[in-house]
Amino acid sequence: MAALQLETDLLAQVGAGQLADSAEFAKAHNVDHQAVVGLLKSLVMADMVVMEAIEHSRLTVTPAGQLYVGVAAPEVQVFNAVPAEGITLADLKTQLGVAGDVGFKQAMQNKWVGIDKSGGEPKVVRKVESVQDTVLPILNALAAGQEGSINEAELMALMRRKLVAKEAWKTWKVSKGPCFALQRKKAATELTTDMLQSGAWRDTTFKPYNFDALGLPPSGGHLHPLLKVRTQFRKIFTQMGFEEMPTNNYVESSFWNFDALFQPQQHPARDAHDTFFLTKPAATPASNFPADYLERVKQTHQHGGFGSIGYGYDWKVAEAEKNLLRTHTTAVSSRMLYRLAQEGFHPAKYFSIDRVFRNEAIDRTHLAEFHQIEGVVCDYGLTLSDLIGTLQQFFDRLGLKKLRFKPAFNPYTEPSMEIFSYSEQLEKWIEVGNSGMFRPEMLRPMGLPEGVNVIAWGLGLERPTMILYQVDNIRDLFGHKVSLSMVRKNAICRLGL
Amino acid sequence: MPVVGVNRDKLFEALGQKYTEEEFEELCFEYGIELDDVTSEKEMLRKELATRTTGAADLGAASEEVIYKIDIPANRYDMLCLEGIARSLNIFRQRETPPLYRLADMAGKQIVRMTVKPETALVRPFVVCAVLRGIDFDSVRYNSFIDLQDKLHQNLCRQRTLVAVGTHDLAKIRAPFTYEALPPEDIRFVPLKQTREFNARELLQHYLANDQKLKKFVPIIQNSLVYPAIYDADRTLLSLPPVINGAHSAISLDTRDVFIECTATDLTKAKIVLNTVVAMFSQYCSTPFEIEPVEVVDALGDTQVYPQLDTRQMDVAVPYINSCIGLDLQADKIAQLLSKMQLSAAAAPDGSSVVVQVPITRSDVLHACDVMEDVAIAYGYNNLVKTVPSTVTAGKELPLNQMCELLRGECAMAGFTEVLTWALCSHAENFSKLRQQDDGTTAACIGNPATAEFEVCRTSLLPGALKTLAANKDIPLPVKLFEVSDVILLSSQKGCGAENRRRLVAVLCDRAASFEVIHGLLNRVMEVLQVPYAADPDPTLQRQRQLLGGGYDWRADDDSPAFFPGRHASVYFRDRRVGEFGIVHPEVLEAFDLNNTVAALELDLEPFCFDQLGRPMETQIL
């Protein structure tokens, strides 16, 4: 019978107030009772009907018990099979099969048979003259569906022997539910184009939505957290009127990286322990440095000039020619300032965010390459107060409004200041960057006019990002060991909002 | 930055005040030093023992007195000992005035003489000397004296290569002294902490084999034909600089007269080192801050008297100081502030400048800007009024970077997730793992990596992307990644011999290789870059092609060993090869420990850096 017809019949019968037992309905319609129950449950879900259980139970003969129905209890079969002279257990089992095994144990328990070992080989012998089969009538009666007057004790014994079992089941009394109707309206899952076109959405019932579940994650790609932060820094700088420096030159000469910055040739930073020196290309021939500028740099290191006494050591061009991976983006700043002096000075504000390299062992907080953020302002008459004011403007944009400054030392800035900020997130003062005014020994040899001061500051990109996104291992953020699931879950960067 | 450990209670005693840790940190912050750690001898020993696997703990004998570890700026050599830190802070707090260092009057006395032999020019040409008379050591002062020499050796002296200090008990030796350079076999003596005589050559061998501390100084002179040596009038060896002193002249707690010699390859630094030592420890002399001079007769017979204690006078214009800091201070106020920084200063009569006396302890003062900084520190950085410069400029992004910012967004919108990998990698990752030969013409090589995996600068972004896939195998497939970063290529166009090139790499990792998807990304990237397909018959694209001087196309080839044969194409723009894409070779996958297939695209982005009218924009600026 078609399922729809069955449902219609069922609802008609409930509507007439007459479904006393679902099993009878199933029998009457010649369908499996489980099919009716399935139908009922779906109607209950729709609140069209309510079900009330009717408990049933009956005794049945188990498949093991079925073997003996209409034959004889196995122990009786064993007793009958034992001849007067006895029989070996093996022969008995061969003769009777399963019944032999089961029956022998029971017959022994009943003391109907015994084992006689007097004749050498043990034999099964009768111990009583005759026996009565009390099991067979019970099995026969139950198999015939007659529970009638069975002795309770014997019944329990047969249940223990797993020849008889009690079977329980339910059928249902069905009556109208709050939403009863003779025809069920099918609930739709989603609004569809077909419904829009046919207008069926007007009469369609929609399945309730599960508002507690999460939606499906959208497909699509993701930007890298560190570079999302970089993007915000770029915006902050450009909004403040800074022009980006070309920093796409990782290989640099010691000249631009150190000497031009008035960093003496014996400075520890120029040691192989801190800096990646290259074996190929090993050096930048000095002919690539502007000859007159090179000479001024040399003189300033050796003997001073421009008001300085210099370092008083023997400056070597070979040391300046050594190639390295730049240790700071200030190497680019020095090139840009030299260029600015050559072009004819005009006030300028520069920024860059790019990689720098340090020959350090890698751990949770150190990488051999990381990103440096740098800002530079060049103009006549800039002051230390201007630097502090500019830093306040910049860090305000990052949400780091409470700043204080600590005197520090840096070979190419004087004054030099470490920038500390009170982190609301970490609830303590943290060092957030370095800053200073470039030394005259750096600027004047470049040809920048007297009176021009250059203020600058720098900070790392990784550390603020780690604090922002609560990443505690720098390798999770930068490098191939990045956690892609972290990248996928990463929020937008609100720096600068 | 050097870190100096000082006994807290002795420091507070010298400062005449007890501080809480917070108060002391505040004082440090204002002056520009930093309390790095609070510990004790016992604590340090405990940590050392914890990291060692053997060695019995003898913590009982170690002191529990609190030690402050203080970070000192790298140019303040005068603060590398307790005496210097206390003196600087006391002067800063105006509890003390800067001492006046002076030479003892040698009238009627025999001046100690050191004669330099010409051969020393071959190995270590300079020596400067001084004598501290009637010094009053106790164990704390004595240890500080030794520690200061250690700290100077580590920092200013660059591990004794530039300068080495030797100190001797003057009572045990007899002037005049000679500074000589002799063949190592001819130098025989009993060195410090030894009981038998060595010649210099065998001694250096002995240190190389047995002495962790001293062996690092051996190479400074080992290959020289002659070794430097200082002898007294009786041919007793004082020292074999820069390695070791003789045992005979060793100083002890009982030493009263100390002879100090600094041998050097850098005379300026030798003078600074000598001045620093005498400035710090002459305070314990019988006449404090009085130093007995030594005559050094150089190889040409010229005589210099050391130490040179003269202050250096600088006239610093008041407007310069004010205009650099952003203040409006009078000269006498400036002079007053400078006295807190050990710079004795006086206003010039017309008030236009301050006359500053730079003492020997302030060798870091090279220029008026250093004086200006000290005014600012003494005034207090945090007392300055914040101003904003009136400099007016226009903000501007670098065109290449701006284009890449936009393109990164497009790649992410196309379903690829951004990664960021290192520019440094191992040689194998850059070559053999990609089935490439290194012909020596592409990769910049690093000479001294501290981490073995950093041998070369990458010439391709592909290894980084493959390594990222390998490190993220737990992510459900397919995985699509991209990176926009620089590779570094050897280049004769650049003075330094190498240049960065901006590239895009994209990889798609899945159970079945998908050439179409990576190909589709190429087409999409070109679409957003407004670069038409060269063979597209659409006439509306013709104009754009003309503007750019051509379109792009791809040509199947097998010229890249990193890719699977028959599954590789090169990308051309205006008929020049700008990239490639295809299915990564299974042997490459195996080398990078990948079990699933990978399709990859790598593209040089610099040819596509043009403006809205198709005009090329410079990408290689420096």
Side-chain angles (χ1 to χ4, degrees):
Chain A
M1 177 186 272
L4 199 60
Q5 185 59 49
L6 188 70
E7 182 176 306
T8 309
D9 288 358
L10 191 142
L11 288 169
Q13 203 167 329
V14 174
Q18 291 172 357
L19 200 104
D21 192 321
S22 56
E24 285 166 23
F25 178 82
K27 203 174 176 186
H29 287 79
N30 198 26
V31 294
D32 186 59
H33 182 242
Q34 280 309 310
V36 176
V37 173
L39 175 60
L40 282 169
K41 284 188 175 164
S42 83
L43 290 168
V44 167
M45 289 292 287
D47 279 340
M48 291 176 71
V49 299
V50 289
M51 296 160 72
E52 195 184 321
I54 307 167
E55 304 284 348
H56 302 269
S57 73
R58 71 173 171 222
L59 293 165
T60 56
V61 181
T62 64
Q66 288 289 353
L67 291 173
Y68 315 116
V69 173
V71 186
E75 58 272 29
V76 175
Q77 291 183 37
V78 166
F79 183 82
N80 291 339
V82 178
E85 69 277 15
I87 182 171
T88 65
L89 191 55
D91 286 349
L92 186 66
K93 285 185 181 173
T94 314
Q95 203 174 319
L96 294 177
V98 181
D101 202 21
V102 177
F104 172 69
K105 285 177 192 153
Q106 190 62 39
M108 284 292 285
Q109 208 175 327
N110 292 356
K111 296 196 166 63
W112 290 355
V113 296
I115 299 288
D116 178 14
K117 294 179 183 170
S118 60
E121 193 184 6
K123 284 187 172 176
V124 181
V125 294
R126 289 187 178 189
K127 296 279 242 188
V128 293
E129 286 301 314
S130 63
V131 299
Q132 193 186 349
D133 194 343
T134 55
V135 172
L136 185 61
I138 299 174
L139 292 180
N140 284 345
L142 289 179
Q146 299 155 1
E147 287 188 30
S149 56
I150 299 169
N151 178 304
E152 189 69 20
E154 287 185 6
L155 193 62
M156 292 306 288
L158 292 185
M159 283 170 76
R160 274 197 300 275
R161 287 177 66 184
K162 297 196 165 60
L163 298 176
V164 171
K166 194 166 215 168
E167 186 184 70
W169 75 102
K170 285 175 185 173
T171 60
W172 305 89
K173 182 181 165 190
V174 184
S175 45
K176 292 179 189 173
C179 301
F180 181 80
L182 288 172
Q183 283 292 330
R184 170 151 64 164
K185 282 189 179 165
K186 184 89 180 152
T189 341
E190 296 296 352
L191 186 62
T192 64
T193 308
D194 286 348
M195 290 176 197
L196 297 180
Q197 283 171 353
S198 66
W201 61 270
R202 292 175 199 281
D203 302 316
T204 306
T205 313
F206 289 90
K207 270 190 189 165
Y209 201 80
N210 180 6
F211 286 96
D212 296 330
L214 289 174
L216 284 178
S219 61
H222 310 265
L223 293 174
H224 193 279
L226 194 68
L227 299 185
K228 289 200 279 196
V229 178
R230 184 180 73 175
T231 299
Q232 292 310 103
F233 273 106
R234 294 168 63 81
K235 284 185 181 159
I236 292 168
F237 273 115
T238 50
Q239 287 162 2
M240 289 174 69
F242 284 73
E243 178 180 345
E244 191 171 22
M245 292 186 271
T247 47
N248 53 336
N249 61 325
Y250 298 164
V251 176
E252 185 56 279
S253 61
S254 294
F255 179 77
W256 288 110
N257 194 81
F258 291 127
D259 296 286
L261 294 167
F262 195 53
Q263 199 146 339
Q265 295 188 328
Q266 306 84 358
H267 192 276
R270 303 184 69 155
D271 209 275
H273 295 302
D274 293 304
T275 301
F276 286 113
F277 285 97
L278 299 184
T279 50
K280 186 169 65 173
T284 302
S287 56
N288 288 281
F289 309 129
D292 53 341
Y293 175 49
L294 179 91
E295 188 54 32
R296 289 194 297 273
V297 168
K298 175 181 174 173
Q299 287 306 319
T300 312
H301 277 249
Q302 286 190 166
H303 310 300
F306 310 99
S308 175
I309 58 167
Y311 290 119
Y313 73 100
D314 186 11
W315 188 89
K316 293 188 175 67
V317 71
E319 199 60 41
E321 288 179 324
K322 283 185 184 169
N323 275 342
L324 44 78
L325 293 173
R326 68 166 176 233
T327 61
H328 47 194
T329 51
T330 318
V332 175
S333 308
S334 67
R335 284 171 172 270
M336 292 300 284
L337 290 170
Y338 175 75
R339 175 186 278 221
L340 185 65
Q342 304 314 300
E343 285 171 0
F345 178 77
H346 56 84
K349 295 200 272 195
Y350 295 127
F351 84 95
S352 66
I353 310 171
D354 210 337
R355 297 187 196 213
V356 296
F357 301 83
R358 303 277 166 90
N359 195 4
E360 287 186 356
I362 290 185
D363 61 30
R364 295 182 77 81
T365 53
H366 295 87
L367 290 181
E369 52 187 290
F370 55 94
H371 290 76
Q372 187 185 337
I373 302 169
E374 187 168 348
V376 180
V377 185
C378 341
D379 203 349
Y380 285 98
L382 292 176
T383 67
L384 190 60
S385 302
D386 287 338
L387 174 58
I388 291 178
T390 305
L391 291 172
Q392 187 68 56
Q393 264 193 342
F394 179 79
F395 283 95
D396 270 356
R397 296 294 308 272
L398 305 182
L400 299 171
K401 293 177 194 292
K402 262 164 89 176
L403 296 184
R404 54 184 199 145
F405 303 93
K406 182 184 149 202
F409 168 67
N410 183 348
Y412 49 88
T413 55
E414 192 82 8
S416 309
M417 306 190 301
E418 281 172 8
I419 310 159
F420 283 74
S421 171
Y422 188 77
S423 162
E424 305 287 345
Q425 198 179 331
L426 304 178
E427 297 181 324
K428 62 175 183 185
W429 287 93
I430 53 169
E431 193 192 332
V432 291
N434 256 299
S435 66
M437 298 176 80
F438 284 136
R439 292 188 71 98
E441 293 98 323
M442 168 182 166
L443 300 180
R444 300 286 101 81
M446 289 175 168
L448 287 170
E450 196 72 39
V452 166
N453 284 338
V454 180
I455 57 178
W457 73 98
L459 60 152
L461 178 63
E462 281 78 2
R463 191 162 143 69
T465 306
M466 287 168 76
I467 294 172
L468 199 63
Y469 292 132
Q470 289 163 23
V471 177
D472 64 354
N473 185 342
I474 196 167
R475 290 167 290 195
D476 290 342
L477 189 65
F478 184 16
H480 58 277
K481 289 188 179 150
V482 68
S483 156
L484 288 178
S485 58
M486 184 272 288
V487 174
R488 287 180 181 181
K489 288 176 186 158
N490 181 253
I492 57 170
C493 174
R494 293 168 199 266
L495 280 187
L497 287 187
Chain B
M1 208 186 287
V3 179
V4 179
V6 297
N7 182 307
R8 181 194 61 183
D9 295 342
K10 295 283 177 195
L11 177 66
F12 287 175
E13 195 181 298
L15 293 175
Q17 187 178 338
K18 281 188 175 139
Y19 289 88
T20 64
E21 211 171 294
E22 289 71 29
E23 287 166 348
F24 187 69
E25 276 182 331
E26 203 55 38
L27 175 63
C28 288
F29 192 95
E30 208 185 334
Y31 193 69
I33 58 180
E34 192 171 325
L35 181 56
D36 184 59
D37 195 13
V38 179
T39 179
S40 70
E41 263 179 38
K42 196 171 215 169
E43 186 60 35
M44 286 191 283
L45 191 62
R46 192 176 289 134
K47 278 184 190 163
E48 199 189 317
L49 289 172
T51 57
R52 265 198 335 229
T53 47
T54 57
D58 186 19
L59 288 171
S63 162
E64 293 197 56
E65 287 182 41
V66 178
I67 291 175
Y68 275 0
K69 296 248 172 186
I70 302 175
D71 263 357
I72 302 296
N75 63 341
R76 287 301 297 272
Y77 315 113
D78 62 311
M79 294 182 74
L80 294 175
C81 59
L82 184 143
E83 288 76 7
I85 294 170
R87 197 177 299 166
S88 297
L89 292 178
N90 277 332
I91 293 168
F92 184 60
R93 292 156 64 239
Q94 294 173 294
R95 277 190 75 239
E96 269 181 28
T97 51
L100 209 62
Y101 308 102
R102 61 191 179 279
L103 294 181
D105 181 1
M106 295 308 286
K109 296 182 198 159
Q110 181 63 47
I111 191 166
V112 173
R113 172 175 294 174
M114 168 74 82
T115 304
V116 181
K117 295 285 172 68
E119 299 78 21
T120 56
L122 295 171
V123 51
R124 199 170 179 87
F126 306 110
V127 65
V128 294
C129 313
V131 172
L132 295 178
R133 288 276 178 194
I135 201 160
D136 182 14
F137 279 134
D138 59 23
S139 66
V140 174
R141 293 171 181 181
Y142 181 85
N143 288 337
S144 179
F145 188 61
I146 303 295
D147 285 350
L148 172 64
Q149 293 171 49
D150 262 357
K151 287 278 183 280
L152 287 167
H153 281 152
Q154 285 162 26
N155 294 285
L156 181 60
C157 305
R158 298 305 307 281
Q159 304 294 348
R160 306 192 191 177
T161 52
L162 303 180
V163 188
V165 189
T167 53
H168 309 274
D169 189 336
L170 192 55
K172 297 180 185 166
I173 46 182
R174 199 164 63 86
F177 305 110
T178 51
Y179 180 40
E180 311 178 14
L182 300 169
E185 287 77 9
D186 296 352
I187 304 172
R188 288 200 182 78
F189 68 110
V190 180
L192 212 56
K193 293 179 184 165
Q194 296 288 340
T195 47
R196 75 169 179 94
E197 193 179 81
F198 288 78
N199 80 42
R201 189 175 300 285
E202 63 177 339
L203 182 64
L204 296 199
Q205 288 301 337
H206 173 79
Y207 288 149
L208 274 182
N210 303 308
D211 196 311
Q212 284 306 318
K213 182 170 179 279
L214 292 177
K215 77 180 205 185
K216 58 177 186 259
F217 307 119
V218 169
I220 302 172
I221 54 166
Q222 195 180 22
N223 293 329
S224 173
L225 288 175
V226 285
Y227 289 3
I230 295 177
Y231 285 99
D232 81 347
D234 303 322
R235 299 303 290 169
T236 302
L237 185 126
L238 273 62
S239 67
L240 175 72
V243 183
I244 192 75
N245 288 349
H248 180 80
S249 58
I251 62 164
S252 70
L253 273 174
D254 302 325
T255 299
R256 297 280 293 158
D257 300 330
V258 179
F259 176 68
I260 305 166
E261 39 87 5
C262 302
T263 57
T265 54
D266 181 321
L267 182 60
T268 309
K269 290 193 174 60
K271 291 185 204 170
I272 295 172
V273 169
L274 182 68
N275 282 348
T276 304
V277 174
V278 301
M280 291 304 114
F281 285 87
S282 59
Q283 81 177 67
Y284 302 130
C285 286
S286 48
T287 311
F289 306 115
E290 186 180 278
I291 299 115
E292 186 177 307
V294 173
E295 262 182 17
V296 176
V297 183
D298 70 19
L300 301 173
D302 293 334
T303 299
Q304 297 279 340
V305 174
Y306 294 104
Q308 295 171 347
L309 302 177
D310 299 337
T311 57
R312 185 160 53 86
Q313 181 171 316
M314 290 174 77
D315 280 9
V316 184
V318 168
Y320 171 77
I321 291 173
N322 280 326
S323 72
C324 284
I325 304 175
L327 286 173
D328 189 16
L329 301 175
Q330 300 297 310
D332 50 358
K333 175 65 183 171
I334 290 174
Q336 190 195 325
L337 289 171
L338 285 173
S339 69
K340 292 172 73 177
M341 308 301 292
Q342 304 178 32
L343 299 176
S344 308
D350 64 357
S352 67
S353 67
V354 281
V355 182
V356 182
Q357 302 297 333
V358 182
I360 53 168
T361 47
R362 293 300 310 275
S363 57
D364 58 300
V365 176
L366 307 177
H367 186 277
C369 69
D370 297 297
V371 176
M372 176 266 288
E373 180 188 61
D374 277 5
V375 174
I377 294 173
Y379 186 85
Y381 283 175
N382 298 298
N383 297 325
L384 292 174
V385 176
K386 290 164 187 158
T387 53
V388 175
S390 54
T391 309
V392 177
T393 52
K396 189 174 184 299
E397 289 177 73
L398 197 72
L400 178 64
N401 290 358
Q402 195 170 14
M403 178 187 80
C404 289
E405 286 280 291
L406 297 169
L407 189 63
R408 288 173 47 235
E410 294 289 345
C411 290
M413 284 187 251
F416 286 73
T417 291
E418 186 170 33
V419 297
L420 188 69
T421 64
W422 300 333
L424 308 182
C425 61
S426 72
H427 187 274
E429 283 162 357
N430 203 66
F431 292 106
S432 60
K433 287 188 175 191
L434 290 180
R435 304 176 80 240
Q436 314 264 14
Q437 295 287 321
D438 178 10
D439 64 4
T441 64
T442 55
C445 303
I446 294 162
N448 58 324
T451 305
E453 63 195 281
F454 302 143
E455 294 169 318
V456 295
C457 298
R458 63 181 171 197
T459 61
S460 162
L461 298 181
L462 190 55
L466 295 177
K467 280 157 74 180
T468 310
L469 285 175
N472 280 277
K473 285 182 184 156
D474 54 337
I475 298 286
L477 297 174
V479 182
K480 298 191 234 177
L481 305 178
F482 82 96
E483 178 172 4
V484 174
S485 279
D486 289 353
V487 298
I488 300 91
L489 301 173
L490 296 180
S491 162
S492 56
Q493 305 296 307
K494 289 289 172 84
C496 69
E499 66 179 14
N500 285 30
R501 293 297 289 189
R502 187 68 46 88
R503 295 256 183 102
L504 163 70
V505 73
V507 289
L508 161 65
C509 180
D510 205 349
R511 291 197 198 289
S514 177
F515 191 85
E516 299 89 340
V517 174
I518 211 76
H519 191 180
L521 180 69
L522 169 71
N523 300 145
R524 174 62 188 154
V525 165
M526 289 301 162
E527 191 168 66
V528 298
L529 290 173
Q530 275 189 292
V531 179
Y533 175 38
D536 195 324
D538 183 348
T540 59
L541 297 174
Q542 188 52 36
R543 198 184 119 73
Q544 181 69 5
R545 271 197 296 266
Q546 270 170 6
L547 212 57
L548 297 179
Y552 84 102
D553 64 329
W554 56 92
R555 302 168 198 172
D557 58 34
D558 279 333
D559 65 359
S560 180
F563 289 84
F564 200 48
R567 297 284 184 278
H568 176 263
S570 294
V571 183
Y572 292 81
F573 175 44
R574 297 185 290 223
D575 282 328
R576 293 186 67 165
R577 192 176 185 278
V578 292
E580 62 183 338
F581 64 104
I583 306 299
V584 175
H585 198 285
E587 288 174 9
V588 174
L589 297 179
E590 195 187 346
F592 283 94
D593 190 25
L594 290 166
N595 329 322
N596 293 297
T597 68
V598 174
L601 162 70
E602 184 161 14
L603 195 63
D604 185 354
L605 294 177
E606 295 191 21
F608 305 102
C609 188
F610 45 78
D611 69 6
Q612 54 190 338
L613 298 174
R615 289 179 297 221
M617 305 192 79
E618 186 61 61
T619 58
Q620 297 289 329
I621 295 169
L622 294 179

